[in-house]
Amino acid sequence: MKFFSFPQCSRVTSILNAVANENSSSRTLSCVDTFNACSSGVIAYTVIATTNIYYCSIFFNEVATSNLCSGTSVASRNVRGGTTLHELTHATSGTDDVTYGCSADQALSDSNKIRNADNFNCFTTQVYANTRC
């Protein structure tokens, strides 16, 4: 599991702390696809200009984080908490969507790993699976 390199640890910590301490009273989390962006395969999206997050209907087919301990693989990327964290890194830290999929995330250059929102999804769900299951 190498989603980030050692020199990036402080930036990773900063991004995860921004999510953990997120306390916006103006950010909308909505189940209504206001911008008609819920095309095939889109689970959720963040509008960068407002940092509002919109969940698509397929989000509700995703599973709880605890399912990582009972058969759901990290690579499946179908954990609601991982998806929400992914979107919150866009909203709080300006991460991008460079690529998707844990294997593809790990293959990125160090500079792209730190700005790719999906690295945070795969990294945190892997940490959960390794430490809580």
Side-chain angles (χ1 to χ4, degrees):
M1 170 181 67
K2 188 174 183 226
F3 292 102
F4 300 104
S5 66
F6 181 73
Q8 298 171 314
C9 287
S10 64
R11 181 68 180 131
V12 170
T13 301
S14 173
I15 290 169
L16 292 175
N17 280 336
V19 171
N21 296 314
E22 189 282 332
N23 191 24
S24 173
S25 60
S26 62
R27 181 175 300 110
T28 298
L29 303 176
S30 179
C31 301
V32 177
D33 181 17
T34 304
F35 296 92
N36 296 315
C38 290
S39 59
S40 177
V42 175
I43 301 167
Y45 62 94
T46 302
V47 175
I48 300 303
T50 62
T51 73
N52 292 337
I53 298 170
Y54 300 88
Y55 294 96
C56 302
S57 61
I58 63 172
F59 172 81
F60 300 98
N61 297 330
E62 292 199 325
V63 300
T65 305
S66 59
N67 282 32
L68 289 165
C69 300
S70 59
T72 296
S73 72
V74 170
S76 66
R77 297 177 53 259
N78 67 338
V79 175
R80 287 188 302 263
T83 297
T84 299
L85 180 96
H86 171 122
E87 296 305 325
L88 281 168
T89 67
H90 288 315
T92 63
S93 301
T95 61
D96 293 319
D97 290 324
V98 178
T99 192
Y100 296 99
C102 298
S103 294
D105 296 345
Q106 291 177 47
L108 290 171
S109 67
D110 286 350
S111 62
N112 279 332
K113 284 178 181 178
I114 199 67
R115 66 185 195 95
N116 186 41
D118 199 55
N119 278 67
F120 292 90
N121 175 353
C122 292
F123 174 70
T124 58
T125 53
Q126 186 66 62
V127 168
Y128 182 95
N130 288 359
T131 63
R132 305 288 293 190
C133 298

